[in-house]
Amino acid sequence: MQEDVLNIKNQALAQIMSADSAAELEQIRIDYFGRNGRFTNIIKNIKRVSADERKRIGLIINEAKKSIEELLENQKRNLRESVREWFDPTVPGQKPEIGHLHPITKTINEISRIFGRIGFERARYPEVEWDHFAFEALNMPKNHPARDEWETFFIDVPENSKYGKTVLTPHTSNGQVREMLRVGTPPIRMINIAKCYRRQSDISHAPMFHQFEGLVIDEDISIVNLKGTLDYFAKSFYGEGRTTRLRPYHFQFTEPSFEIDISCGVCKGRGCKVCKSGWLELGGAGMVHPNVLKAGKIDPVKYSGFAFGWGVERVLMMKEEVGIPDVRMIYGTDLRYLSQF
Ligand code: DAH
């Protein structure tokens, strides 16, 4: 009987060693340890052995059983690992998700580049600002009704004796007088792009938004220069076919003042559902008011200039191929929306 046990054991080990699939190993296990398995039968037959022999054979059987089971387990593990290590270089790779700049950052970069090409210097003036630069120096004295339009946030700190209250700047025009004081003697060609804040929130307004402010001051600057600059921007940013028009308006810090419209990209100025009149409103502009030049210590007799201030979000929303139904979505965190830009 001892010989039978050893024979069976050797056969089992040999079969296990040459098996090369999990299914084959399972079949071997059934062949040996199943209800009618070869090893099972041997155990059944142990009754026939004399009592004193039984103990010795029992040990041999146990030992053989252990060896077979161990090898089965080992072999199963080996097969599993060799499957895991198998590498198929033809399987297409998984692309890691790569982020990109926010649409507003991209637009700001593009605006800077467009004005940079015609010599505008990029500036960035404070978001937390004195009343003086946001209003007073822009020809809006205290209690002037024009201030209402700017729906300003005030910061609850003591007033400065020279510059007044502290506000979150409601427009980038605060950079105008700051730039004049910084540069001193013209020429000035500034593009100030910064965050602005107003107490407003609806589909076309967010409480925090961005503006870009152009300021040009030199001798003999006229509306012609303003119009040329705006047309250049419209064509560079929106495409060759676009033009601008000036519409009379009123701002305290410019005289004359204008609203700037751009010809509609959908109907090319003929009038359609999007624009109604053939024109879309871009933002404000004008010739710098003499009082503003004086506040910036520039002689309004010798020098003149123009300025314009537009919303970054607004000019982006007006690129008609970009669908932005609600400006606040740009500042949301829904990547399914943002990643399309
Ligand atoms: N600051 C104005 C606003 O926020 C826009 C503006 C109008 C800026 C006329 C200018 C300008 O520089 O000349 O509504």
PDB file of all heavy atoms in Angstrom, residues 149-150 170-173 176 198 211 213-214 251 253-254 257-258 283-287 306-310, ligand 1:
ATOM      1  N   GLU A 149     -24.412 103.752 -10.835  1.00  0.00           N
ATOM      2  CA  GLU A 149     -24.300 102.702 -11.853  1.00  0.00           C
ATOM      3  C   GLU A 149     -23.338 101.605 -11.471  1.00  0.00           C
ATOM      4  O   GLU A 149     -23.386 100.507 -12.013  1.00  0.00           O
ATOM      5  CB  GLU A 149     -23.774 103.321 -13.150  1.00  0.00           C
ATOM      6  CG  GLU A 149     -24.783 104.182 -13.805  1.00  0.00           C
ATOM      7  CD  GLU A 149     -24.709 104.067 -15.304  1.00  0.00           C
ATOM      8  OE1 GLU A 149     -23.942 103.211 -15.791  1.00  0.00           O
ATOM      9  OE2 GLU A 149     -25.418 104.833 -15.958  1.00  0.00           O
ATOM     10  N   TRP A 150     -22.401 101.899 -10.550  1.00  0.00           N
ATOM     11  CA  TRP A 150     -21.322 100.952 -10.294  1.00  0.00           C
ATOM     12  C   TRP A 150     -21.577  99.979  -9.144  1.00  0.00           C
ATOM     13  O   TRP A 150     -20.711  99.178  -8.832  1.00  0.00           O
ATOM     14  CB  TRP A 150     -19.985 101.689 -10.165  1.00  0.00           C
ATOM     15  CG  TRP A 150     -19.437 101.989 -11.531  1.00  0.00           C
ATOM     16  CD1 TRP A 150     -18.675 101.146 -12.286  1.00  0.00           C
ATOM     17  CD2 TRP A 150     -19.651 103.151 -12.323  1.00  0.00           C
ATOM     18  NE1 TRP A 150     -18.404 101.716 -13.497  1.00  0.00           N
ATOM     19  CE2 TRP A 150     -18.982 102.958 -13.559  1.00  0.00           C
ATOM     20  CE3 TRP A 150     -20.346 104.342 -12.135  1.00  0.00           C
ATOM     21  CZ2 TRP A 150     -18.985 103.903 -14.581  1.00  0.00           C
ATOM     22  CZ3 TRP A 150     -20.346 105.285 -13.149  1.00  0.00           C
ATOM     23  CH2 TRP A 150     -19.668 105.054 -14.355  1.00  0.00           C
ATOM     24  N   PRO A 170     -15.019  98.646  -8.844  1.00  0.00           N
ATOM     25  CA  PRO A 170     -16.114  98.168  -9.697  1.00  0.00           C
ATOM     26  C   PRO A 170     -15.769  98.245 -11.184  1.00  0.00           C
ATOM     27  O   PRO A 170     -16.547  97.813 -12.017  1.00  0.00           O
ATOM     28  CB  PRO A 170     -17.239  99.141  -9.366  1.00  0.00           C
ATOM     29  CG  PRO A 170     -16.533 100.410  -9.032  1.00  0.00           C
ATOM     30  CD  PRO A 170     -15.207 100.044  -8.429  1.00  0.00           C
ATOM     31  N   HIS A 171     -14.604  98.803 -11.509  1.00  0.00           N
ATOM     32  CA  HIS A 171     -14.166  98.845 -12.900  1.00  0.00           C
ATOM     33  C   HIS A 171     -12.643  99.027 -12.963  1.00  0.00           C
ATOM     34  O   HIS A 171     -12.019  99.413 -11.970  1.00  0.00           O
ATOM     35  CB  HIS A 171     -14.879  99.938 -13.705  1.00  0.00           C
ATOM     36  CG  HIS A 171     -14.774 101.327 -13.133  1.00  0.00           C
ATOM     37  ND1 HIS A 171     -15.330 102.415 -13.752  1.00  0.00           N
ATOM     38  CD2 HIS A 171     -14.185 101.806 -12.010  1.00  0.00           C
ATOM     39  CE1 HIS A 171     -15.082 103.502 -13.045  1.00  0.00           C
ATOM     40  NE2 HIS A 171     -14.381 103.160 -11.988  1.00  0.00           N
ATOM     41  N   THR A 172     -12.071  98.743 -14.132  1.00  0.00           N
ATOM     42  CA  THR A 172     -10.616  98.879 -14.264  1.00  0.00           C
ATOM     43  C   THR A 172     -10.216 100.318 -14.562  1.00  0.00           C
ATOM     44  O   THR A 172      -9.026 100.611 -14.686  1.00  0.00           O
ATOM     45  CB  THR A 172     -10.088  97.962 -15.384  1.00  0.00           C
ATOM     46  OG1 THR A 172     -10.957  98.073 -16.508  1.00  0.00           O
ATOM     47  CG2 THR A 172      -9.991  96.523 -14.926  1.00  0.00           C
ATOM     48  N   SER A 173     -11.204 101.213 -14.638  1.00  0.00           N
ATOM     49  CA  SER A 173     -10.863 102.626 -14.878  1.00  0.00           C
ATOM     50  C   SER A 173     -10.054 103.195 -13.719  1.00  0.00           C
ATOM     51  O   SER A 173      -9.399 104.231 -13.864  1.00  0.00           O
ATOM     52  CB  SER A 173     -12.136 103.449 -15.076  1.00  0.00           C
ATOM     53  OG  SER A 173     -12.894 102.923 -16.146  1.00  0.00           O
ATOM     54  N   GLN A 176      -6.535 104.221 -14.563  1.00  0.00           N
ATOM     55  CA  GLN A 176      -6.181 105.351 -15.441  1.00  0.00           C
ATOM     56  C   GLN A 176      -5.284 106.374 -14.752  1.00  0.00           C
ATOM     57  O   GLN A 176      -4.162 106.642 -15.202  1.00  0.00           O
ATOM     58  CB  GLN A 176      -7.447 106.047 -15.951  1.00  0.00           C
ATOM     59  CG  GLN A 176      -8.259 105.212 -16.923  1.00  0.00           C
ATOM     60  CD  GLN A 176      -9.310 106.055 -17.643  1.00  0.00           C
ATOM     61  OE1 GLN A 176      -9.252 107.277 -17.643  1.00  0.00           O
ATOM     62  NE2 GLN A 176     -10.270 105.377 -18.259  1.00  0.00           N
ATOM     63  N   ARG A 198     -19.076  93.928  -8.527  1.00  0.00           N
ATOM     64  CA  ARG A 198     -20.299  94.735  -8.391  1.00  0.00           C
ATOM     65  C   ARG A 198     -21.385  93.878  -7.771  1.00  0.00           C
ATOM     66  O   ARG A 198     -21.399  92.660  -7.945  1.00  0.00           O
ATOM     67  CB  ARG A 198     -20.783  95.221  -9.761  1.00  0.00           C
ATOM     68  CG  ARG A 198     -19.921  96.315 -10.316  1.00  0.00           C
ATOM     69  CD  ARG A 198     -20.481  96.864 -11.595  1.00  0.00           C
ATOM     70  NE  ARG A 198     -19.409  97.487 -12.362  1.00  0.00           N
ATOM     71  CZ  ARG A 198     -19.553  98.025 -13.556  1.00  0.00           C
ATOM     72  NH1 ARG A 198     -20.740  98.025 -14.136  1.00  0.00           N
ATOM     73  NH2 ARG A 198     -18.531  98.560 -14.185  1.00  0.00           N
ATOM     74  N   GLN A 211     -12.374  93.112 -16.332  1.00  0.00           N
ATOM     75  CA  GLN A 211     -12.436  94.113 -17.394  1.00  0.00           C
ATOM     76  C   GLN A 211     -11.052  94.325 -17.966  1.00  0.00           C
ATOM     77  O   GLN A 211     -10.053  94.028 -17.318  1.00  0.00           O
ATOM     78  CB  GLN A 211     -12.932  95.458 -16.843  1.00  0.00           C
ATOM     79  CG  GLN A 211     -14.423  95.520 -16.623  1.00  0.00           C
ATOM     80  CD  GLN A 211     -14.897  96.946 -16.323  1.00  0.00           C
ATOM     81  OE1 GLN A 211     -14.117  97.815 -15.967  1.00  0.00           O
ATOM     82  NE2 GLN A 211     -16.194  97.157 -16.464  1.00  0.00           N
ATOM     83  N   GLU A 213      -8.961  97.566 -19.673  1.00  0.00           N
ATOM     84  CA  GLU A 213      -9.049  99.014 -19.803  1.00  0.00           C
ATOM     85  C   GLU A 213      -7.887  99.492 -20.655  1.00  0.00           C
ATOM     86  O   GLU A 213      -6.730  99.224 -20.337  1.00  0.00           O
ATOM     87  CB  GLU A 213      -8.942  99.620 -18.403  1.00  0.00           C
ATOM     88  CG  GLU A 213      -9.089 101.115 -18.358  1.00  0.00           C
ATOM     89  CD  GLU A 213     -10.537 101.499 -18.082  1.00  0.00           C
ATOM     90  OE1 GLU A 213     -11.358 100.614 -17.801  1.00  0.00           O
ATOM     91  OE2 GLU A 213     -10.839 102.702 -18.163  1.00  0.00           O
ATOM     92  N   GLY A 214      -8.199 100.164 -21.718  1.00  0.00           N
ATOM     93  CA  GLY A 214      -7.133 100.738 -22.536  1.00  0.00           C
ATOM     94  C   GLY A 214      -7.005 102.216 -22.228  1.00  0.00           C
ATOM     95  O   GLY A 214      -7.999 102.892 -21.959  1.00  0.00           O
ATOM     96  N   PHE A 251     -20.267 109.219 -20.040  1.00  0.00           N
ATOM     97  CA  PHE A 251     -19.504 108.800 -18.864  1.00  0.00           C
ATOM     98  C   PHE A 251     -18.897 110.064 -18.285  1.00  0.00           C
ATOM     99  O   PHE A 251     -18.544 110.987 -19.038  1.00  0.00           O
ATOM    100  CB  PHE A 251     -18.374 107.822 -19.241  1.00  0.00           C
ATOM    101  CG  PHE A 251     -18.863 106.493 -19.726  1.00  0.00           C
ATOM    102  CD1 PHE A 251     -18.796 106.169 -21.085  1.00  0.00           C
ATOM    103  CD2 PHE A 251     -19.379 105.555 -18.837  1.00  0.00           C
ATOM    104  CE1 PHE A 251     -19.247 104.936 -21.536  1.00  0.00           C
ATOM    105  CE2 PHE A 251     -19.832 104.317 -19.297  1.00  0.00           C
ATOM    106  CZ  PHE A 251     -19.768 104.007 -20.652  1.00  0.00           C
ATOM    107  N   PHE A 253     -16.021 110.392 -16.979  1.00  0.00           N
ATOM    108  CA  PHE A 253     -14.559 110.496 -17.121  1.00  0.00           C
ATOM    109  C   PHE A 253     -14.105 110.623 -18.573  1.00  0.00           C
ATOM    110  O   PHE A 253     -12.911 110.623 -18.848  1.00  0.00           O
ATOM    111  CB  PHE A 253     -13.870 109.311 -16.443  1.00  0.00           C
ATOM    112  CG  PHE A 253     -14.647 108.023 -16.520  1.00  0.00           C
ATOM    113  CD1 PHE A 253     -14.407 107.116 -17.527  1.00  0.00           C
ATOM    114  CD2 PHE A 253     -15.634 107.743 -15.567  1.00  0.00           C
ATOM    115  CE1 PHE A 253     -15.141 105.942 -17.591  1.00  0.00           C
ATOM    116  CE2 PHE A 253     -16.359 106.566 -15.627  1.00  0.00           C
ATOM    117  CZ  PHE A 253     -16.118 105.663 -16.646  1.00  0.00           C
ATOM    118  N   THR A 254     -15.050 110.691 -19.509  1.00  0.00           N
ATOM    119  CA  THR A 254     -14.678 110.910 -20.910  1.00  0.00           C
ATOM    120  C   THR A 254     -15.585 111.966 -21.522  1.00  0.00           C
ATOM    121  O   THR A 254     -16.758 112.079 -21.169  1.00  0.00           O
ATOM    122  CB  THR A 254     -14.796 109.602 -21.734  1.00  0.00           C
ATOM    123  OG1 THR A 254     -15.979 108.928 -21.346  1.00  0.00           O
ATOM    124  CG2 THR A 254     -13.596 108.697 -21.532  1.00  0.00           C
ATOM    125  N   SER A 257     -18.161 110.804 -24.936  1.00  0.00           N
ATOM    126  CA  SER A 257     -18.198 109.389 -24.548  1.00  0.00           C
ATOM    127  C   SER A 257     -18.987 108.595 -25.572  1.00  0.00           C
ATOM    128  O   SER A 257     -19.872 109.138 -26.242  1.00  0.00           O
ATOM    129  CB  SER A 257     -18.888 109.224 -23.193  1.00  0.00           C
ATOM    130  OG  SER A 257     -18.250 109.995 -22.203  1.00  0.00           O
ATOM    131  N   PHE A 258     -18.663 107.324 -25.641  1.00  0.00           N
ATOM    132  CA  PHE A 258     -19.360 106.455 -26.613  1.00  0.00           C
ATOM    133  C   PHE A 258     -19.649 105.092 -26.022  1.00  0.00           C
ATOM    134  O   PHE A 258     -18.960 104.643 -25.109  1.00  0.00           O
ATOM    135  CB  PHE A 258     -18.482 106.210 -27.854  1.00  0.00           C
ATOM    136  CG  PHE A 258     -17.926 107.453 -28.447  1.00  0.00           C
ATOM    137  CD1 PHE A 258     -16.590 107.804 -28.235  1.00  0.00           C
ATOM    138  CD2 PHE A 258     -18.719 108.280 -29.228  1.00  0.00           C
ATOM    139  CE1 PHE A 258     -16.069 108.960 -28.791  1.00  0.00           C
ATOM    140  CE2 PHE A 258     -18.197 109.445 -29.785  1.00  0.00           C
ATOM    141  CZ  PHE A 258     -16.865 109.783 -29.566  1.00  0.00           C
ATOM    142  N   GLY A 283     -18.978  97.744 -25.201  1.00  0.00           N
ATOM    143  CA  GLY A 283     -18.637  98.431 -23.954  1.00  0.00           C
ATOM    144  C   GLY A 283     -18.367  99.898 -24.198  1.00  0.00           C
ATOM    145  O   GLY A 283     -18.603 100.412 -25.284  1.00  0.00           O
ATOM    146  N   GLY A 284     -17.862 100.577 -23.147  1.00  0.00           N
ATOM    147  CA  GLY A 284     -17.709 102.029 -23.199  1.00  0.00           C
ATOM    148  C   GLY A 284     -16.336 102.489 -23.644  1.00  0.00           C
ATOM    149  O   GLY A 284     -15.359 101.750 -23.585  1.00  0.00           O
ATOM    150  N   ALA A 285     -16.291 103.738 -24.096  1.00  0.00           N
ATOM    151  CA  ALA A 285     -15.029 104.355 -24.504  1.00  0.00           C
ATOM    152  C   ALA A 285     -15.230 105.853 -24.608  1.00  0.00           C
ATOM    153  O   ALA A 285     -16.364 106.348 -24.511  1.00  0.00           O
ATOM    154  CB  ALA A 285     -14.572 103.801 -25.848  1.00  0.00           C
ATOM    155  N   GLY A 286     -14.141 106.559 -24.821  1.00  0.00           N
ATOM    156  CA  GLY A 286     -14.276 108.000 -25.010  1.00  0.00           C
ATOM    157  C   GLY A 286     -12.931 108.693 -24.972  1.00  0.00           C
ATOM    158  O   GLY A 286     -11.894 108.054 -24.837  1.00  0.00           O
ATOM    159  N   MET A 287     -12.994 110.029 -25.096  1.00  0.00           N
ATOM    160  CA  MET A 287     -11.774 110.837 -25.012  1.00  0.00           C
ATOM    161  C   MET A 287     -11.616 111.276 -23.556  1.00  0.00           C
ATOM    162  O   MET A 287     -12.569 111.819 -22.963  1.00  0.00           O
ATOM    163  CB  MET A 287     -11.884 112.051 -25.933  1.00  0.00           C
ATOM    164  CG  MET A 287     -12.120 111.708 -27.410  1.00  0.00           C
ATOM    165  SD  MET A 287     -10.915 110.531 -28.082  1.00  0.00           S
ATOM    166  CE  MET A 287      -9.428 111.531 -28.068  1.00  0.00           C
ATOM    167  N   PHE A 306      -7.405 108.815 -25.304  1.00  0.00           N
ATOM    168  CA  PHE A 306      -8.671 108.071 -25.298  1.00  0.00           C
ATOM    169  C   PHE A 306      -8.571 106.901 -24.331  1.00  0.00           C
ATOM    170  O   PHE A 306      -7.470 106.495 -23.941  1.00  0.00           O
ATOM    171  CB  PHE A 306      -9.069 107.595 -26.706  1.00  0.00           C
ATOM    172  CG  PHE A 306      -8.157 106.550 -27.320  1.00  0.00           C
ATOM    173  CD1 PHE A 306      -8.236 105.217 -26.958  1.00  0.00           C
ATOM    174  CD2 PHE A 306      -7.232 106.921 -28.301  1.00  0.00           C
ATOM    175  CE1 PHE A 306      -7.416 104.256 -27.535  1.00  0.00           C
ATOM    176  CE2 PHE A 306      -6.401 105.972 -28.890  1.00  0.00           C
ATOM    177  CZ  PHE A 306      -6.494 104.637 -28.506  1.00  0.00           C
ATOM    178  N   ALA A 307      -9.755 106.404 -23.952  1.00  0.00           N
ATOM    179  CA  ALA A 307      -9.802 105.269 -23.030  1.00  0.00           C
ATOM    180  C   ALA A 307     -10.990 104.392 -23.416  1.00  0.00           C
ATOM    181  O   ALA A 307     -11.931 104.843 -24.067  1.00  0.00           O
ATOM    182  CB  ALA A 307      -9.955 105.755 -21.598  1.00  0.00           C
ATOM    183  N   PHE A 308     -10.895 103.143 -23.047  1.00  0.00           N
ATOM    184  CA  PHE A 308     -12.051 102.247 -23.220  1.00  0.00           C
ATOM    185  C   PHE A 308     -11.988 101.198 -22.118  1.00  0.00           C
ATOM    186  O   PHE A 308     -10.908 100.883 -21.602  1.00  0.00           O
ATOM    187  CB  PHE A 308     -12.056 101.581 -24.610  1.00  0.00           C
ATOM    188  CG  PHE A 308     -10.782 100.846 -24.943  1.00  0.00           C
ATOM    189  CD1 PHE A 308     -10.630  99.520 -24.620  1.00  0.00           C
ATOM    190  CD2 PHE A 308      -9.734 101.507 -25.581  1.00  0.00           C
ATOM    191  CE1 PHE A 308      -9.451  98.842 -24.929  1.00  0.00           C
ATOM    192  CE2 PHE A 308      -8.554 100.837 -25.891  1.00  0.00           C
ATOM    193  CZ  PHE A 308      -8.409  99.502 -25.575  1.00  0.00           C
ATOM    194  N   GLY A 309     -13.143 100.679 -21.734  1.00  0.00           N
ATOM    195  CA  GLY A 309     -13.174  99.667 -20.685  1.00  0.00           C
ATOM    196  C   GLY A 309     -14.284  98.675 -20.974  1.00  0.00           C
ATOM    197  O   GLY A 309     -15.455  99.036 -21.052  1.00  0.00           O
ATOM    198  N   TRP A 310     -13.897  97.424 -21.171  1.00  0.00           N
ATOM    199  CA  TRP A 310     -14.873  96.396 -21.555  1.00  0.00           C
ATOM    200  C   TRP A 310     -14.746  95.173 -20.658  1.00  0.00           C
ATOM    201  O   TRP A 310     -13.697  94.925 -20.076  1.00  0.00           O
ATOM    202  CB  TRP A 310     -14.636  95.942 -23.011  1.00  0.00           C
ATOM    203  CG  TRP A 310     -14.739  97.058 -23.987  1.00  0.00           C
ATOM    204  CD1 TRP A 310     -15.180  98.326 -23.741  1.00  0.00           C
ATOM    205  CD2 TRP A 310     -14.374  97.009 -25.367  1.00  0.00           C
ATOM    206  NE1 TRP A 310     -15.128  99.065 -24.888  1.00  0.00           N
ATOM    207  CE2 TRP A 310     -14.639  98.284 -25.901  1.00  0.00           C
ATOM    208  CE3 TRP A 310     -13.867  96.014 -26.194  1.00  0.00           C
ATOM    209  CZ2 TRP A 310     -14.411  98.586 -27.231  1.00  0.00           C
ATOM    210  CZ3 TRP A 310     -13.640  96.314 -27.508  1.00  0.00           C
ATOM    211  CH2 TRP A 310     -13.908  97.584 -28.029  1.00  0.00           C
TER     212      TRP A 310
HETATM  213  N1  DAH B   1     -15.550 101.982 -16.589  1.00  0.00           N
HETATM  214  C1  DAH B   1     -16.722 101.863 -17.409  1.00  0.00           C
HETATM  215  C2  DAH B   1     -17.625 100.781 -16.885  1.00  0.00           C
HETATM  216  O1  DAH B   1     -17.200  99.995 -16.097  1.00  0.00           O
HETATM  217  C3  DAH B   1     -16.379 101.534 -18.822  1.00  0.00           C
HETATM  218  C4  DAH B   1     -15.630 102.630 -19.521  1.00  0.00           C
HETATM  219  C5  DAH B   1     -16.326 103.579 -20.251  1.00  0.00           C
HETATM  220  C6  DAH B   1     -14.275 102.708 -19.428  1.00  0.00           C
HETATM  221  C7  DAH B   1     -15.668 104.564 -20.920  1.00  0.00           C
HETATM  222  C8  DAH B   1     -13.588 103.714 -20.102  1.00  0.00           C
HETATM  223  C9  DAH B   1     -14.324 104.647 -20.854  1.00  0.00           C
HETATM  224  O2  DAH B   1     -12.272 103.827 -20.072  1.00  0.00           O
HETATM  225  O3  DAH B   1     -13.624 105.582 -21.497  1.00  0.00           O
HETATM  226  O4  DAH B   1     -18.756 100.714 -17.236  1.00  0.00           O
END
